[in-house]
Amino acid sequence: AQKITQTQPGMFVQEKEAVTLDCTYDTSDPSYGLFWYKQPSSGEMIFLIYQGSYDQQNATEGRYSLNFQKARKSANLVISASQLGDSAMYFCAMREGWGAQKLVFGQGTRLTINP
Amino acid sequence: DTAVSQTPKYLVTQMGNDKSIKCEQNLGHDTMYWYKQDSKKFLKIMFSYNNKELIINETVPNRFSPKSPDKAHLNLHINSLELGDSAVYFCASSQDQGRTGELFFGEGSRLTVL
């Protein structure tokens, strides 16, 4: 069974608009972490934001925020005021448990920002 | 000063050959990983080492042999390369004492098997 699901293979957004990238997850472990990574066309994987399962507030990092809805098992990434440089693949990932555990990645969403 | 560096960045080789990819991290992390990203961009873990000990082996063919001489290095050797091995291989590291356990990735090594 898929642990991380990203249902949007591609998204097109106008520059300066906000965009929401969807991510749902599946786990029975009460302790887990959720991550978003950006992969531009140059290929590197860039960590964006993290949400722990016990965190009371939604994580924010600059223009990135994570809309964490625990009961729905969703962890959507919101990018405010999108920029051309935001065009990239975006991956949602989950770690179950604590410590040195593997990250399981979703299929990714290709975001294209139009001028 | 690159945190996780892997070499080579590009590899083009013939089927049946043996090749190695090297990875080094200077972050002082305890755990290192190899991930494979296929042509559809799907990222899947292959191996994980913690302080030189293998802790995750995700049913990877035994043509793939990781080696960790010390906790700062994790190399990947692939024997008898097949067409399906063509992919981007990412090395990563994490600090298991940290709160988040986020992975720090290298730039990737693109392997093309002809």
Side-chain angles (χ1 to χ4, degrees), chain A residues 2 33 35 37 39 42-47 50 52 55 89 91 95 98-107 110, chain B residues 9 31 33 35 37 40-43 45 48 50 55-56 58 90 94 96 98-107:
Chain A
Q2 195 80 342
F35 302 76
Y37 281 82
Q39 187 178 39
S42 48
E44 72 268 32
M45 294 288 290
I46 302 167
F47 166 71
Y50 165 84
D55 292 344
M89 284 288 289
F91 293 95
R95 183 204 69 235
W98 297 110
Q101 301 287 338
K102 64 185 181 185
L103 290 196
V104 176
F105 284 83
Q107 311 93 309
R110 183 174 293 282
Chain B
K9 198 164 179 184
T31 307
Y33 309 80
Y35 276 80
Q37 186 173 43
K40 295 184 179 175
K41 299 290 189 182
F42 185 62
L43 267 158
I45 190 166
S48 172
N50 180 266
I55 55 171
I56 294 174
E58 288 281 314
F90 282 97
S94 70
D96 46 342
R99 188 181 84 91
T100 67
E102 79 200 60
L103 265 55
F104 292 76
F105 283 87
E107 292 183 331

Side-chain angles (χ1 to χ4, degrees), chain B residues 50-87:
Chain B
N50 180 266
N51 280 316
K52 303 192 295 176
E53 286 193 29
L54 179 68
I55 55 171
I56 294 174
N57 181 343
E58 288 281 314
T59 59
V60 177
N62 55 17
R63 298 183 295 105
F64 290 78
S65 51
K67 281 201 172 43
S68 182
D70 55 61
K71 77 172 196 177
H73 295 84
L74 180 61
N75 303 325
L76 183 65
H77 186 76
I78 316 170
N79 289 328
S80 305
L81 279 156
E82 300 176 358
L83 293 177
D85 298 332
S86 294

Side-chain angles (χ1 to χ4, degrees), chain A residues 43-63:
Chain A
E44 72 268 32
M45 294 288 290
I46 302 167
F47 166 71
L48 295 178
I49 197 166
Y50 165 84
Q51 180 85 41
S53 58
Y54 295 118
D55 292 344
Q56 295 294 318
Q57 293 190 319
N58 286 345
T60 60
E61 290 285 347
R63 293 187 299 114

